[in-house]
Amino acid sequence: MSKMSKQNGFHVVTPLLESAGMSKLMGTTVVLKMESSQPTGSFKIRGIGHMCQNVASSNQSRGVICSSGGNAGMATAYAARKLNLPATIVLPLSTPQLVAQKLKDQGATVKVVVGKAWDDANAEALRLAEIEGLTVIHPFNHPLVWKGHSSIVHELKASLPSKPGAIVLSVGGGGLFCGVMEGLDEVGWGNVPVLCMETVGADCLNFALKARDLVMLPDITSEATCLGAKMACQQAFEYSKRPNVISEVVTDLQALEAVELFLDEERVLVELACGASLAAVYSGLIPRLQEEGRLPKLLDPLVMIVCGGGSMNLPQLRHLQAVIRK
Ligand code: PLV
């Protein structure tokens, strides 16, 4: 392992770009934190890379295992390869085919379970970890993962001229959200409004908030499989009770339309999981929340965390267009 990767982790400092199209739509400056530019295509490398480094530095691991909807697995496989650790990635059946190939290309062992939700893959990963003596890398529920993700906020602090008017992000199990909240507290931005976006059928955080209890979704019915954890992590549920946190849900169609518009306007192809966040702008949700008095009128600058996603390419986009618009 090189000295540099030891100091800086495996992630890169991502570009922060002003979006002309979104700024025009919102009537305020919208900036894009381009996590799609990370190695393996999503923010996941921040937290997962940090955790894998921790595991490697203890010199006690025989290898790592990660259950994943796709991106956490790709980040684990990438970091493990750099650290010379064997990696096993367990995927649910719903994960697009292209992910398994990418994982194998990173040298990981891939197991696909029969269940279609991430939770099914997780049960199998825990079982295998026990039998094979592997270290579990959780895709979202671990303080080291949150710590790694919190670096996003430190980068924002270093490059934004002022405190964000709001931050928009996607929630699967809530790891990204926990990391951002931790980072906001650390830089003294703890009262910045945070808009948590999910898709209908992968909306575990919204479901729990409505129930006022950390309950489990009966099933994952969204095509945004990377948001498909049936239950949010406890820490995400705790953070979501803060008054500056808003939880909202969009349909798969709204997320897809956002992915398409983003590709047209910004020339970057992202996953539906990321489309959920982009839809907050493109579907008119943010102005509606402002009218309802749930978000302040002056948002300058509105930060969109473009979480990205490596489980997307043109054939996969065409597949989703067919399935969602059928
Ligand atoms: N995806 C996880 C969990 O899946 C995974 O295994 O890859 N945006 C993208 C592109 C993602 O891949 C994920 C998580 C999220 C957002 C949500 O992040 P989280 O889980 O930290 O809230 C089931």
Side-chain angles (χ1 to χ4, degrees):
M1 188 174 59
S2 77
K3 218 173 166 187
M4 215 169 106
S5 62
K6 212 170 196 167
Q7 285 166 353
N8 301 334
F10 297 119
H11 66 273
V12 299
V13 174
T14 49
L16 186 65
L17 308 174
E18 193 172 317
S19 165
M22 285 195 183
S23 300
K24 191 171 160 193
L25 264 180
M26 292 293 102
T28 189
T29 308
V30 179
V31 291
L32 308 168
K33 185 65 175 154
M34 297 300 284
E35 292 303 297
S36 48
S37 299
Q38 288 291 357
T40 74
S42 80
F43 69 95
K44 288 277 176 184
I45 192 64
R46 293 182 185 265
I48 302 271
H50 183 61
M51 185 163 179
C52 286
Q53 278 187 313
N54 235 272
V55 169
S57 64
S58 74
N59 275 329
Q60 280 166 349
S61 180
R62 297 171 57 181
V64 291
I65 185 163
C66 175
S67 57
S68 173
N71 291 306
M74 285 189 265
T76 302
Y78 177 88
R81 180 171 58 80
K82 301 259 175 194
L83 293 162
N84 288 321
L85 277 174
T88 303
I89 312 299
V90 189
L91 306 171
L93 251 189
S94 56
T95 305
Q97 200 71 51
L98 73 115
V99 175
Q101 191 53 52
K102 283 193 181 183
L103 290 170
K104 287 178 194 154
D105 292 346
Q106 293 280 359
T109 303
V110 181
K111 307 235 154 115
V112 180
V113 300
V114 179
K116 73 178 173 66
W118 165 81
D119 300 74
D120 302 315
N122 193 43
E124 176 63 4
L126 296 180
R127 195 186 68 84
L128 283 175
E130 185 76 33
I131 296 172
E132 296 178 13
L134 300 172
T135 311
V136 174
I137 303 293
H138 199 287
F140 55 82
N141 191 13
H142 198 286
L144 288 171
V145 172
W146 308 332
K147 176 91 206 136
H149 292 341
S150 72
S151 58
I152 294 182
V153 181
H154 292 274
E155 287 173 25
L156 290 174
K157 174 83 177 176
S159 48
L160 281 175
S162 63
K163 185 163 120 173
I167 296 185
V168 183
L169 52 80
S170 297
V171 172
L176 172 61
F177 172 51
C178 287
V180 166
M181 294 301 281
E182 192 174 302
L184 288 174
D185 283 344
E186 282 165 2
V187 304
W189 285 352
N191 60 355
V192 167
V194 177
L195 178 53
C196 294
M197 298 299 301
E198 295 172 287
T199 51
V200 176
D203 46 350
C204 63
L205 185 65
N206 195 266
F207 190 63
L209 274 168
K210 280 181 180 148
R212 293 171 187 268
D213 191 13
L214 191 50
V215 283
M216 193 183 262
L217 282 174
D219 198 9
I220 299 298
T221 54
S222 169
E223 292 296 329
T225 47
C226 257
L227 299 184
K230 287 185 185 169
M231 198 166 91
C233 63
Q234 180 78 42
Q235 184 62 55
F237 184 57
E238 296 311 321
Y239 278 133
S240 68
K241 295 177 194 163
R242 291 196 184 173
N244 56 320
V245 176
I246 302 171
S247 158
E248 285 290 328
V249 175
V250 291
T251 62
D252 277 3
L253 182 59
Q254 286 172 315
L256 174 66
E257 285 170 350
V259 167
E260 293 167 337
L261 205 52
F262 195 71
L263 178 60
D264 264 5
E265 292 204 336
E266 311 291 339
R267 302 159 311 282
V268 176
L269 178 60
V270 296
E271 274 184 35
L272 278 190
C274 180
S277 283
L278 306 175
V281 168
Y282 290 141
S283 77
L285 172 71
I286 288 175
R288 182 155 59 76
L289 292 172
Q290 288 174 311
E291 272 159 37
E292 290 169 5
R294 294 174 60 202
L295 260 184
K297 282 269 182 224
L298 289 169
L299 286 175
D300 189 32
L302 173 63
V303 177
M304 305 291 299
I305 298 189
V306 181
C307 52
S311 326
M312 184 62 116
N313 57 13
L314 273 183
Q316 177 63 12
L317 177 62
R318 288 192 194 110
H319 164 76
L320 289 168
Q321 287 167 328
V323 173
I324 293 171
R325 293 211 173 88
K326 75 170 180 288

